[in-house]
């Protein structure tokens, strides 16, 4: 059967799906949430802790997302920051939780990371590499996040 005849036999919808398989979903992996992106580099920004964007940092266990960095206030009231891009498969789904003593996690495939970025579990039988961690420096109400 010729290719043209084959596509015609499948119908227009199937032919379109075969011909343009990536439209609208190439950045995602089989419908999982989040996007695959590059890990942030040359990070250096400040956050005004009195601003609205920093409201979630007022309480221990809270976090915000900025410039693909998760900035969190751990259970001791210290500021910690990590890449929002997971070290497992580069989805931008890393978040912080006060549970388990305060950890970074990614629910795309279940990776868990300590606040120093070290891996806490295995995914698909392997331990993903450590999560990238950034430095934080508090000066008055200004929090600097940098490499
Ligand atoms: S991309 Fe985060 S656990 Fe797989």
């Amino acid at each position: 059967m010729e290719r043209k005849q084959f596509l015609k036999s499948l119908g227009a919808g199937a032919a379109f799906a075969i011909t343009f398989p990536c439209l609208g979903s190439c950045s995602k992996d089989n419908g999982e949430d989040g996007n695959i992106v590059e890990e942030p580099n040359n990070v250096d920004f400040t956050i005004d802790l009195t601003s609205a964007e920093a409201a979630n940092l007022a309480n221990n266990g809270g976090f915000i997302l900025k410039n693909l960095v998760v900035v969190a206030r751990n259970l001791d009231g210290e500021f910690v920051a990590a890449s929002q891009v997971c070290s497992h498969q580069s989805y931008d789904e890393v978040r912080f939780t006060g549970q388990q003593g305060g950890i970074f996690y990614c629910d795309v495939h279940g990776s868990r990371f300590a606040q120093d970025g070290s891996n806490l579990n295995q995914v698909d039988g392997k331990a993903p590499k450590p999560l990238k961690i950034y430095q934080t420096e508090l000066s008055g109400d200004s929090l600097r996040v940098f490499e």
Side-chain angles (χ1 to χ4, degrees), residues 103-125:
I103 61 166
F104 293 101
Y105 68 97
C106 174
D107 275 344
V108 176
H109 307 105
S111 286
R112 301 289 181 263
F113 304 94
Q115 291 177 37
D116 66 359
S118 59
N119 180 269
L120 295 173
N121 66 340
Q122 293 194 342
V123 178
D124 299 330

Side-chain angles (χ1 to χ4, degrees), residues 3 9 11 16-17 22 25 33 37 47 54 65 74 79-80 91 97 101-102 111 117 119 128 133 144:
R3 182 173 191 263
S9 72
F16 184 82
C22 278
S25 64
D33 290 338
V37 297
I47 299 166
L65 305 176
N74 69 17
F79 293 101
V80 292
Y91 280 86
T97 177
S111 286
N119 180 269
I133 298 296
R144 181 180 174 211

Side-chain angles (χ1 to χ4, degrees), residues 82-104:
S83 171
Q84 188 182 323
V85 180
C86 186
S87 61
H88 176 232
Q89 288 186 0
S90 300
Y91 280 86
D92 60 351
E93 289 297 308
V94 173
R95 303 293 186 265
F96 184 82
T97 177
Q99 296 175 7
Q100 300 175 41
I103 61 166
F104 293 101

Side-chain angles (χ1 to χ4, degrees), residues 3-133:
R3 182 173 191 263
K4 191 174 175 182
Q5 288 177 311
F6 172 71
L7 292 174
K8 195 173 183 180
S9 72
L10 291 175
F16 184 82
I18 290 169
T19 309
F20 303 103
C22 278
L23 286 180
S25 64
C26 278
S27 64
K28 297 182 181 181
D29 183 9
N30 297 327
E32 291 156 331
D33 290 338
N35 295 301
I36 295 174
V37 297
E38 293 283 323
E39 188 174 70
N41 282 310
N42 303 316
V43 167
D44 193 350
F45 60 84
T46 58
I47 299 166
D48 177 356
L49 295 177
T50 65
S51 67
E53 75 166 343
N56 284 348
L57 295 175
N59 300 312
N60 293 354
F63 74 90
I64 65 169
L65 305 176
K66 182 168 178 146
N67 301 345
L68 288 175
V69 175
V70 184
V71 182
R73 186 172 191 151
N74 69 17
L75 299 184
D76 297 323
E78 299 165 341
F79 293 101
V80 292
S83 171
Q84 188 182 323
V85 180
C86 186
S87 61
H88 176 232
Q89 288 186 0
S90 300
Y91 280 86
D92 60 351
E93 289 297 308
V94 173
R95 303 293 186 265
F96 184 82
T97 177
Q99 296 175 7
Q100 300 175 41
I103 61 166
F104 293 101
Y105 68 97
C106 174
D107 275 344
V108 176
H109 307 105
S111 286
R112 301 289 181 263
F113 304 94
Q115 291 177 37
D116 66 359
S118 59
N119 180 269
L120 295 173
N121 66 340
Q122 293 194 342
V123 178
D124 299 330
K126 296 182 209 159
K129 66 181 185 179
L131 185 66
K132 187 165 187 176
I133 298 296

